[in-house]
Amino acid sequence: MRDTPAMTTLPAAPPPSFLQARRLRRIFALEDLEEAARRLLPRPIFGYVAGAAETNATLADNRRVFDEIQFLPRMLVNVTGRRLDCEVMGLPYAMPFGIAPMGVSSLTGYRGDISLARSARRAGIPMIISAASLVRLEEIAEAAPGVWFQAYLSGNQAEAAAMADRAAAAGIETFVVTADSAVVPSRENNLRTGYRTPIRPNAALFWNGMTHPAWSMGTFLRTFLRHGTPHFENAGPGRGAPLLSRQAVRDFSGRESLDWAVVHHLRKRWRGRLVVKGLLHPKDVALAREAGVDGVILSNHGGRQLDGAISPMRVLPAAMDQARGIEIMIDCGFRRGTDILKALGLGAKFVFIGRPFNYASAIAGEAGVDHAIGLLRAQLLADLGMMGLLNLREMTEELLYLDNFRALKAG
Ligand SMILES: Cc1cc2nc3c(=O)[nH]c(=O)nc-3n(C[C@H](O)[C@H](O)[C@H](O)COP(=O)(O)O)c2cc1C
């Protein structure tokens, strides 16, 4: 096994402030982060992260599916010296999970993208920079080499190539194309909680700021005073629109023309690892393989796009049948070590997690993200031992009870 990305190349996270440390004392599992973030963040901002599309049916099923799978653990195995290291697309990592791309993470936590990237790097796991982030991808890649980059593309192949060139010039080696976001979804839940893009200063926003001073001072004002108006920095080859401008909406619309031709074009152009994120249909996994990608991330975007879309866990067995050499990764609803082991048992190579890390960076910056990663590491190590396993490769379908699992049948 090669070395995992060096944990020693980054200094320790800045120690948490008194308030941050106090918040972290009550975080015993990733689920606890949501309540802490709800208290800290203004309602529209929290609602934007926590929310999903339309009736939240997909969001709910993303969690429910894990209860349909049980473990059949083995006993009386000597499990001293357990290891969590793994490899995906030839890249060695310390643990089988990473941080999913999340737009505007620097609106919830101060320079959130950098906290997420640095904590991930320190722990030896990947973090994916979002196309909708407010910090330049070059700056994040410099702060935490090894980050992946996720792009929102249209059918314009020249623009896709220019975006890939920009990422390559920044030292990015893994390029992720999100496939499920070509159309703007119905997120009426965001409207109900008062979140709109562009964000427009109004009385409600002012009131929210006054009633959430820790966020207003620690994230919002600090960002404006130190770095000026945040812009969508990575939406395209050049700098995107400011967060508060009408143009911001246009930057993320008009992507309906995205199709497989763009992926084929990128494959010819991009020398690094190419990943498509947001696939659910097994036939699309086959098309991705034919396009020459290195891996796919099965995802319904955390329930934020098509309400009623199937949970990626239900698709996983059928997707595995189509993988034939490409790596199958997955996200949506993963919160515990046991969730991760269930996905690995069904054949997934790697898992990504979104919202909890966003909350962690909001409530305690880099120290918060370190804490969240540490909790998952501890759970995984304990779970592996209770399963009677020494390493992740031993986690197979034979150790899962699947009679209650409503999986999509291959075909
Ligand atoms: C606030 C927020 C912003 C997101 N922004 C992006 C994005 O810019 N690009 C993308 O591919 N996925 C985006 N996602 C989806 C995540 O990458 C991931 O698929 C999803 O959050 C996984 O589900 P989980 O939050 O239940 O772990 C976003 C998710 C959230 C919660």
Side-chain angles (χ1 to χ4, degrees):
M1 185 95 229
R2 279 181 283 154
D3 282 347
T4 54
M7 297 162 74
T8 47
T9 53
L10 282 187
S17 68
F18 172 76
L19 282 177
Q20 289 178 330
R22 207 173 66 176
R23 287 182 205 126
L24 286 179
R25 274 206 294 275
R26 287 196 293 247
I27 308 297
F28 305 111
L30 264 59
E31 288 93 329
D32 297 332
L33 291 160
E34 181 163 327
E35 194 41 45
R38 188 199 303 275
R39 278 196 298 269
L40 179 89
L41 296 171
R43 190 165 171 255
I45 307 281
F46 173 77
Y48 172 72
V49 179
E54 303 192 30
T55 68
N56 290 337
T58 294
L59 179 73
D61 195 47
N62 282 348
R63 280 303 301 151
R64 194 186 308 121
V65 66
F66 291 106
D67 293 335
E68 295 173 19
I69 303 173
Q70 283 94 28
F71 293 112
L72 278 162
R74 302 300 306 271
M75 298 298 149
L76 297 175
V77 180
N78 181 342
V79 289
T80 46
R82 296 184 301 289
R83 302 173 59 140
L84 295 177
D85 54 333
C86 60
E87 217 176 271
V88 65
M89 300 183 295
L91 294 166
Y93 288 111
M95 290 174 278
F97 66 88
I99 302 180
M102 281 174 289
V104 295
S105 297
S106 295
L107 193 60
T108 43
Y110 173 73
R111 308 294 274 173
D113 305 277
I114 295 198
S115 304
L116 293 165
R118 286 173 61 91
S119 286
R121 165 88 191 173
R122 197 178 300 111
I125 63 172
M127 175 268 188
I128 311 180
I129 302 171
S130 161
S133 58
L134 302 173
V135 180
R136 293 177 67 241
L137 69 92
E138 290 80 359
E139 195 184 336
I140 307 171
E142 196 184 322
V147 280
W148 303 8
F149 175 72
Q150 171 263 323
Y152 278 142
L153 302 173
S154 71
N156 184 330
Q157 297 185 2
E159 208 171 274
M163 188 72 243
D165 290 349
R166 178 180 163 193
I172 302 285
E173 290 175 355
T174 306
F175 193 86
V176 180
V177 179
T178 290
D180 61 15
S181 304
V183 174
V184 178
S186 303
R187 292 202 197 137
E188 66 238 28
N189 296 313
N190 286 355
L191 301 178
R192 286 190 190 106
T193 58
Y195 184 90
R196 280 175 180 75
T197 323
I199 297 176
R200 260 178 257 137
N202 56 28
L205 199 66
F206 182 72
W207 175 247
N208 261 299
M210 296 290 284
T211 50
H212 296 84
W215 174 82
S216 303
M217 306 297 287
T219 299
F220 195 71
L221 281 177
R222 197 170 159 207
T223 301
F224 271 80
L225 291 176
R226 289 201 182 171
H227 310 279
T229 305
H231 283 60
F232 286 100
E233 299 285 358
N234 306 315
R239 191 180 204 200
L243 180 63
L244 305 179
S245 92
R246 227 166 241 291
Q247 181 69 30
V249 179
R250 260 171 281 152
D251 267 8
F252 288 96
S253 51
R255 303 195 186 267
E256 285 93 343
S257 54
L258 176 64
D259 61 10
W260 284 108
V262 173
V263 180
H264 282 270
H265 184 68
L266 275 174
R267 182 64 294 175
K268 282 189 222 122
R269 179 102 181 188
W270 178 258
R271 298 231 172 85
R273 290 165 193 84
L274 183 64
V275 174
V276 176
K277 171 176 184 278
L279 301 185
L280 290 171
H281 203 296
K283 285 184 178 163
D284 282 341
V285 175
L287 289 178
R289 187 190 67 232
E290 283 159 25
V293 307
D294 300 280
V296 302
I297 305 177
L298 302 177
S299 175
N300 59 35
H301 214 103
R304 298 163 74 82
Q305 289 295 119
L306 176 65
D307 191 38
I310 193 164
S311 149
M313 277 296 281
R314 300 193 189 284
V315 176
L316 183 51
M320 289 311 302
D321 287 342
Q322 297 299 330
R324 297 177 213 158
I326 65 167
E327 308 268 47
I328 305 290
M329 299 166 273
I330 187 166
D331 73 7
C332 293
F334 288 83
R335 298 293 178 264
R336 295 195 162 262
T338 48
D339 301 336
I340 296 173
L341 289 187
K342 286 173 185 177
L344 298 187
L346 290 175
K349 210 55 192 285
F350 211 79
V351 166
F352 284 92
I353 297 175
R355 293 178 182 87
F357 289 123
N358 195 315
Y359 300 142
S361 122
I363 69 163
E366 223 169 299
V369 186
D370 281 1
H371 183 72
I373 293 173
L375 288 172
L376 264 181
R377 180 195 287 120
Q379 287 180 353
L380 270 171
L381 270 176
D383 297 336
L384 206 62
M386 289 186 281
M387 288 295 296
L389 303 176
L390 275 163
N391 62 58
L392 297 170
R393 285 178 300 282
E394 294 176 352
M395 182 64 225
T396 59
E397 195 174 319
E398 196 236 332
L399 301 170
L400 296 175
Y401 179 78
L402 298 170
D403 281 7
N404 301 320
F405 176 44
R406 286 182 297 124
L408 186 73
K409 296 281 174 284

